Amino acid sequence: MLKLAVCVSGGGTNLQAIIDAIENGTITNAKIEVVISNNKNAYALERAKQHGIEAVCISPKEFDNREAFNEVFLEKLNSFNVDLVVLAGFLVVIPEMMIKQYRNRIINIHPSLIPSFCGTGYYGLKVHEGALERGVKVTGATVHFVDEGTDTGPIILQKPVMIEQGDTPEVLQRRVMEQAEWKILPEAIDLIANGKVEVADGKVLMKE
Ligand code: GAR
């Protein structure tokens, strides 16, 4: 049974998609041990509690500096002994120490087709604003492993979504979530939980 920590900062609709997929059997061999938020007001914490999942908040605001926060965050995470960390709308830069300790054991959902509209400054609505500004006709979502760069790790799954004339960033965000994010994030977890994902030469290979 793959033990998961899900890290969140906001509404938690991706967390909800994972919870639903575990409950309805779309994800097998996985269990959420803990949901960790950096923001005490994140509705995601509520969603976790409603499903009997331990919900923890560790806010950088409670620490003198980022190093102190990083240390406590990592200590807390380690105390749950998880196999996989899922960043589901987690808007905190992951400390290098944690990336080393959890090499190829942290995955992130990003709301575009990487390498478009990703990297520093591209998060949440800003990603969709960028896509509309550029006038691309297709966008989508990507699930990838987290490495030392921003959105540069090995890509696990991607799904395209069509942009429609008249889209606003909010409308596009919702379509990308519904048509891509809520599908490929649970799917990636299921693949990992069932031993189907391998990383070689910085790329993901799917095992039969
Ligand atoms: C999602 O769209 C996710 O892809 C994005 O934040 C949103 C969180 O929504 N993540 C990033 O932009 C990471 N760079 P949620 O809290 O409802 O799941």
Side-chain angles (χ1 to χ4, degrees):
M1 183 72 77
L2 192 81
K3 294 200 280 178
L4 312 175
V6 183
C7 299
V8 295
S9 297
T13 63
N14 279 286
L15 167 67
Q16 190 67 54
I18 299 167
I19 293 172
D20 293 346
I22 290 175
E23 288 182 355
N24 71 26
T26 308
I27 296 177
T28 56
N29 291 325
K31 174 178 187 290
I32 303 177
E33 288 289 315
V34 63
V35 169
I36 306 179
S37 173
N38 62 312
N39 165 13
K40 68 175 178 5
N41 298 318
Y43 184 64
L45 290 171
E46 211 46 55
R47 294 183 192 268
K49 287 180 203 153
Q50 280 167 15
H51 290 263
I53 300 166
E54 184 158 357
V56 172
C57 174
I58 308 174
S59 165
K61 291 183 193 148
E62 289 154 22
F63 297 86
D64 291 341
N65 55 56
R66 190 47 73 143
E67 286 68 41
F69 164 76
N70 285 347
E71 208 171 292
V72 171
F73 181 83
L74 188 53
E75 240 173 57
K76 190 75 193 171
L77 175 66
N78 285 343
S79 75
F80 287 94
N81 270 315
V82 299
D83 305 300
L84 184 72
V85 179
V86 180
L87 308 182
F90 189 54
L91 304 181
V92 168
V93 176
I94 301 301
E96 231 173 271
M97 174 82 117
M98 175 170 155
I99 294 169
K100 279 206 180 72
Q101 263 186 45
Y102 288 81
R103 175 77 57 201
N104 294 335
R105 292 198 294 136
I106 308 174
I107 64 172
N108 179 48
I109 177 84
H110 183 77
S112 75
L113 293 175
I114 289 175
S116 289
F117 312 110
C118 64
T120 308
Y122 279 115
Y123 59 88
L125 267 186
K126 291 183 196 294
V127 178
H128 306 293
E129 283 164 8
L132 292 175
E133 178 68 26
R134 182 62 185 85
V136 293
K137 305 301 178 212
V138 183
T139 184
T142 303
V143 182
H144 63 92
F145 285 110
V146 172
D147 68 5
E148 282 79 356
T150 306
D151 303 326
T152 53
I155 291 172
I156 305 167
L157 292 175
Q158 293 189 298
K159 194 165 194 292
V161 172
M162 298 307 291
I163 289 179
E164 292 174 16
Q165 202 139 307
D167 273 352
T168 61
E170 289 78 8
V171 165
L172 183 57
Q173 179 180 51
R174 181 76 194 180
R175 187 178 315 117
V176 169
M177 284 176 157
E178 281 176 0
Q179 295 185 4
E181 295 185 47
W182 301 340
K183 294 194 163 86
I184 62 173
L185 186 56
E187 193 182 338
I189 294 169
D190 183 60
L191 287 168
I192 294 169
N194 289 287
K196 299 280 166 67
V197 177
E198 192 179 285
V199 180
D201 272 343
K203 293 186 188 65
V204 165
L205 302 174
M206 292 295 168
K207 294 197 232 169
E208 288 303 308

